[in-house]
Amino acid sequence: MQGHKNAESWGPLSSLPGNPMIWILILSELMVFGVGLMGFVIARDIDPVGFAKSQDSLNRLAGAINTMVLITSGLFAALAVEARARDNVQTSRWWLLAAGSFGVIFLIIKAFEYRDKILHNSAGLNENFLTLYFLLTGFHAAHVVMGLVILFIVGWKNNLENIETGTAFWHMVDLIWVLLFPVIYLLR
Amino acid sequence: MKHTRTNRAGLLRTWAILMGLSLATMLAGRVNENLSLAPLWAMALLGVAGLKARLILGRFLGLRHASSDWNSAFTILLVILQVSLLAAFLALYLPVFHSPTP
């Protein structure tokens, strides 16, 4: 009965899966990163030659591999929800661990990219490009780190609602990268 | 609060489609070459990215179980975002960017 009242109190949001607050976060993040990406493309319009040279210095293959790493991680997170919905707590924890491990792989690849850019490969590149590149991908990487913390917490406090909400955050991180990667690395 | 269930086969199918679309993104974006993309390839690139985002929302996040209004709202938001990005990218092809400075 209490659950029914809670569901009613969310109004139109109650038809969304998981905790409705996570959907407000997803909408906000889509808009924030959307504006950031618009800023990136408009900055490119101001200096297309400088941006093209800077984009060519990125490791596009590493970015593409990272896309596949995050998508696979998203599959593991979704399988954790599926296992928990069948009351299989231990299996859901293993899937969460697999999802988190792929998140760590994403961060390691990203760290190598940053290391290369900071130590060897930033001389002569467009400053606006570098600022926006580090701002957008760094902000996204911070979300990955936060996502790992959330996956750990929902693995520990393991119930269906927690896992649905925690993995929704993880899918949002995946979703943002899928939009971010082609614009920053490939659109030129 | 609404709980949804997606079966394992459906999730694996979605993952396979997303991986295929990621390969399409690499192809459209010429991941191994340093060259400018023609407008049509840019359109394909942003279109595929929007499609992938919509699949993640619908299948992994379970948006397809929500009301059709929410599904439409997120689709419209993604379309607005991708079309705006494409328009900003294609703005470079406008004559104003090629006119000589006085």
Side-chain angles (χ1 to χ4, degrees), chain B:
Chain B
M1 180 71 55
K2 181 179 174 182
H3 296 297
T4 58
R5 288 183 190 196
T6 306
N7 64 40
R8 189 174 294 191
L11 292 173
L12 286 170
R13 198 164 43 243
T14 301
W15 173 79
I17 294 169
L18 285 169
M19 294 299 265
L21 289 174
S22 295
L23 290 173
T25 304
M26 290 167 72
L27 182 74
R30 309 294 176 86
V31 82
N32 282 327
E33 296 174 71
N34 291 337
L35 47 77
S36 295
L37 293 186
L40 212 58
W41 284 111
M43 197 184 298
L45 187 66
L46 291 171
V48 170
L51 189 58
K52 283 166 72 180
R54 188 64 186 82
L55 268 172
I56 291 169
L57 278 167
R59 302 288 172 151
F60 281 175
L61 274 156
L63 185 66
R64 68 195 177 116
H65 300 293
S67 68
S68 59
D69 288 345
W70 278 115
N71 275 277
S72 304
F74 274 95
T75 303
I76 290 167
L77 179 65
L78 283 176
V79 168
I80 289 172
L81 175 62
Q82 297 305 83
V83 168
S84 304
L85 290 170
L86 182 66
F89 174 78
L90 293 179
L92 263 187
Y93 291 85
L94 292 174
V96 68
F97 281 96
H98 302 288
S99 59
T101 45

Side-chain angles (χ1 to χ4, degrees), chain A residues 65-83:
Chain A
I65 290 168
N66 255 349
T67 305
M68 294 182 173
V69 166
L70 271 193
I71 286 171
T72 306
S73 174
L75 169 71
F76 295 155
L79 287 170
V81 177
E82 191 262 349

Side-chain angles (χ1 to χ4, degrees), chain A residues 157-173:
Chain A
K157 300 286 181 188
N158 191 305
N159 64 51
L160 184 56
E161 182 186 342
N162 284 351
I163 291 192
E164 269 189 337
T165 306
T167 54
F169 184 91
W170 194 249
H171 292 311
M172 178 195 76
V173 170

